[in-house]
Amino acid sequence: YEKVGADCAREGVDYPRYLLRLCELERIDRERRTMERRIRLARFPVTKSLDTFDFMAMPTLNKSLVLELTRCEWIDKRENVIALGPSGVGKTHTALALGLAACQKGHSVAFTTAAALVHELMEARDEKRLRALQKQLTNVK
């Protein structure tokens, strides 16, 4: 607040506008921290976006569809996205990028592999906490 106060005093900004600037900065900081928390809770192995994806290396991948999916309308419609293909075609990179886009748009995300999910479900069943895990997974957008 001191730096903003000094800037406002130097610029001759009145007190209500000073308070408005402080509130705006606080809101921006809270949104940033909330997004960072969503990304951390998603448990991405690495953070990747489509900015680093080489669509030229995968000409069969529908670029416009992938870019449309980053708008995350499929989440609001409660639809699924399934990526199929051989190893090395960009399924994980695309999934990570879609997850990151969802976090940035305010959605909760849980990143896992099919094998890890099956393992976690089996462990939860054995430890009699399957319902709790199912409830936790249900709360993820």
Side-chain angles (χ1 to χ4, degrees):
Y1 73 93
E2 290 174 346
K3 181 184 180 311
V4 175
D7 291 345
C8 288
R10 192 173 39 258
E11 296 170 17
V13 174
D14 61 1
Y15 192 69
R17 291 202 177 169
Y18 162 68
L19 289 176
L20 180 62
R21 284 188 186 180
L22 284 179
C23 290
E24 288 173 343
L25 290 171
E26 176 67 17
R27 181 187 52 81
I28 290 167
D29 187 55
R30 284 183 182 204
E31 287 175 357
R32 179 190 54 78
R33 286 183 286 134
T34 300
M35 183 180 59
E36 288 173 354
R37 184 173 49 253
R38 279 193 301 269
I39 292 170
R40 189 175 55 255
L41 290 173
R43 298 186 320 197
F44 296 125
V46 292
T47 305
K48 291 191 176 191
S49 69
L50 289 178
D51 297 339
T52 59
F53 189 82
D54 184 11
F55 283 98
M56 295 298 212
M58 284 307 308
T60 58
L61 182 62
N62 187 338
K63 180 179 179 179
S64 61
L65 175 60
V66 173
L67 295 175
E68 180 183 328
L69 290 172
T70 61
R71 295 190 350 228
C72 299
E73 293 172 358
W74 57 277
I75 297 171
D76 296 325
K77 294 177 185 175
R78 301 181 65 87
E79 297 176 344
N80 295 311
V81 173
I82 299 173
L84 300 172
S87 180
V89 296
K91 297 181 303 293
T92 301
H93 190 140
T94 304
L96 289 166
L98 292 177
L100 180 62
C103 286
Q104 292 169 338
K105 293 199 181 336
H107 298 289
S108 58
V109 174
F111 185 87
T112 188
T113 63
L117 179 60
V118 169
H119 180 72
E120 188 174 2
L121 289 168
M122 289 172 54
E123 274 186 0
R125 181 197 61 200
D126 295 345
E127 297 170 4
K128 308 245 187 288
R129 58 178 181 84
L130 183 58
R131 287 187 193 261
L133 177 60
Q134 288 173 326
K135 185 176 180 182
Q136 177 187 347
L137 293 172
T138 302
N139 290 330
V140 176
K141 285 277 192 174

